[in-house]
Amino acid sequence: MAEVASKTTALSSDAAEQREFVFDKFRRWGYLAARLDPLGFLQPAAPSELDDKSPWSSEARSIYCGTIGADFMHIADRDRREWIAARMEHLPAAKPDQQRILERLLRAELFEQTLQARFVGTKRYSLEGLAVLIPLLDRVVEAGAASGAEQMIIAMSHRGRLNAMVHIVGRPPSEIFADFEDVDPRSVLGGGDVKYHVGATGEYRTASGRSVEVHLVSNPSHLEAVDPVAMGRARAKQARIGPQGRQRVLPVTLHGDAAFAGQGIWAETLNLDDLSAYTVGGTIHVIVNNLLGFTTPPGELHSSRFASDLAKRQSIPIFHVNGEDPDAVVHVGEIAADYRAQFASDVVIDLIGFRRHGHSEVDDPTITQPLLYAKIKDHPPLWQIYARQTGLDAASIVAQVRKEFDESFAVGSKATEKPVHHQLPAYWEPYERGCYKPEYEVSTGVDSARLGEIAAALTRYPDGFAIHPKVKRLLEQRLEMGRGSRPVDYGMAEALAFGTLLLEGIPVRLTGQDTRRGTFNQRHAALIDTQNEAEYVPLEHLAANQARCEIFNSSLSEAGVLGFEYGYSRDYPEALVAWEAQFGDFVNGAQVIIDQFISAAEDKWDLPSGVVLLLPHGYEGQGPEHSSARLERFLQLAAEDNLQICQPSTAAQYFHLLRRQALRRWRKPLVVFTPKSMLRRPESASSVAEFAEERFLNVVPEREIQDVRRILLCTGKIGHELRAERKRRGDTETAVVFLDQLYPFPEAELTAEFARHAQAREIVWVQEEPANMGALFYVVPRIRELAGDVPVRSIKRSASASPATGSAKAHDLEQKTLLTLAFTTSEN
Ligand SMILES: Cc1ncc(C[n+]2csc(CCOP(=O)(O)OP(=O)(O)O)c2C)c(N)n1
């Protein structure tokens, strides 16, 4: 900090040292003694370190214990600490534009009051008590734009959302009033969303005349779930731009204090901030801190002094600021935006105020916080306090703004159609959403000569690269696979799918835990030099004009990382964007992203995505937690062609499926149940000729057996086991048919396959999963519809509370019984 002091005044070295000593204590502990709560319930602490009577202390105290509490001395990098100290210790060069601040405060409050007056008893999650958020964001956009931001991504929950839609996103207030009228219910029967969740896009004009495109991300009720989605969207938007992307796209997330402290998905997301696979060059986080969560006070919400303390694990600054000092709030907004621009770092602003009404406007807060709300009742709106403090005339603006809102209300109340607040970016134009149509099909085959060339590139590495002997052997085998002298396995099929797509100009992004090597040692996307651990990724070196390939290990997160990739897919429809679970079981850690976004976003918000989930699945005796990716849950979510749920039975099928996802113009999330033990089994390997075939088969027909008496229908690994059992028994009348696509249900293909075996006397659905899991509940009624008079029954494990046994031997016994039963006809 010596530099700061020497810049401030020319002091003798003793005096400078003494000043530094005192200032250092205040830089470190001052925020604890700052006056941060406008209503005075959060009392300043008085750390004994600050009992300093030296002449420097009053100067330091006024800076660090006023209405801004700068919490930054945990930052490891000295340059950053010095930068913050310098900004705190020097007044801004220009006075804040108080007229602009007043007008924004006033607009924010009057908007809420208009809603209150016009729609009594309707929830709106008012911003009153923290209306200063609007001038704060105004300053953040202004400073961000001055550093090059052209787009802003905002994630926020319910509190003040309608206000931000009008005052930051720039939607006309008449649209929000029309939302309250809830016109045209027939247009959203069974779909749509409530008004304080929908997203919005617009344009913000800064004071200096710059234009910033603003995207408010659609948000479910599940607090903080939107955060990783917004980060993924920001990263995709930045990637589209290239090296300038981080300056040009500014991410901002707004949080409630209770949610910031309590929600795990937020902790997962914050951890992504400085990882190269996920960074967005810094995000500005604002805690819209009303010191309450619904009815719960801070002491029952977090074990830390501040709701923001989670952020202290990272080397990022936290600025607590008293929401009733608008000049200080705006100053902090500017510091935050500049800090992000300077250091590509996250920044947290803990904006402390209060909540004027109940949690929503239909709650009575005097029941749970009588003293607080007695005080709030007598507390004037901030614009009145600020007008008095600054001597500015508010009366004329009040009249003008009221008139504007009244006029907008008149327009909004006459609306006959439901307003749409967002517009999809132009890069979505070539793509289709809605229900599947056969015309979307394309050929996904690649001829063997081309595959051979790609295989050669995939197995090359630089001269002098010290390759691990096991990997060397693998690459030699892969080269043989590409040449057609060895069947192609799943690992190679995937590499070929990625390689062909990259050469066709389609970017590929795949992340997950240990994904670069592959949990089952199957991928080896990055080769590691045994001498120096240098990495070489063959998929990045296919050709000079290939598309970008990103295959990354993720942090140990499911919800955060899947949310991120879903968000990425939302702004990169041209790319194949995939997330891989380590074992499929872990996907339930991301359930909120699946339920609230992947499955429902198109129905709720008309927002498409082509994200891919790779979920290792299959019963191999590895216990209750390494067997099932919960196929049944995805099937239960399936409706209105919202998902594709597939389990490719061979390497070539996997290849065609991945390519189909990227090459069809239909964008729809794809859930792939991927193999574990089958990764290297010869039964699931494919010849190169199968890669040249036209396309992915939703139903893999029986090709070996002609005179079929029984059809065993199944999906995944069990089908290969059934075929092996058939061979062992010398059975010549049982067909084994694979359902490689479960949803949308391939009715036409299955009907055709049943018709080919018209003499079959029974159809049996066989699954490894217990009776209450797997595809049984979904498939059997559908097969019955198609089977005509042919009886349909099922073979499965007994219903069970946990997916699988913990004993490998018990598993073997169960599996054997399953196979035996499958070959026991109902006639025996
Ligand atoms: C994951 C989740 N759990 C519970 C809720 C129900 N809920 C809605 S708002 C709220 C309190 C939020 O408090 P805070 O984060 O401080 O935001 P505020 O409403 O005070 O702005 C709760 C518990 C929810 N929406 N999401």
Side-chain angles (χ1 to χ4, degrees), residues 158-159 221-223 256-260 263 288 290 292-294 355 359:
H158 53 286
R159 180 76 49 215
S221 176
H222 297 58
L223 294 166
D257 47 315
F260 190 100
Q263 284 295 302
V288 185
N290 52 28
L292 268 183
F294 217 129
R355 192 186 71 195
H359 172 63

Side-chain angles (χ1 to χ4, degrees), residues 739-800:
L739 212 48
D740 276 21
Q741 175 166 302
L742 290 134
Y743 189 80
F745 192 66
E747 197 177 308
E749 293 98 315
L750 205 53
T751 307
E753 180 64 3
F754 287 166
R756 287 204 316 119
H757 311 300
Q759 67 286 28
R761 291 217 210 103
E762 69 169 348
I763 301 172
V764 184
W765 172 255
V766 187
Q767 68 174 35
E768 299 183 293
E769 297 87 346
N772 53 329
M773 300 176 191
L776 188 142
F777 80 97
Y778 162 89
V779 170
V780 169
R782 286 171 170 79
I783 312 174
R784 289 214 166 104
E785 292 255 310
L786 307 181
D789 295 339
V790 182
V792 177
R793 59 189 185 97
S794 59
I795 306 285
K796 64 273 173 185
R797 281 180 165 78
S798 305
S800 167

Side-chain angles (χ1 to χ4, degrees), residues 545-560:
N545 61 351
Q546 71 169 89
R548 181 179 47 248
C549 175
E550 295 186 315
I551 300 182
F552 291 125
N553 293 334
S554 74
S555 64
L556 210 170
S557 145
E558 282 79 27

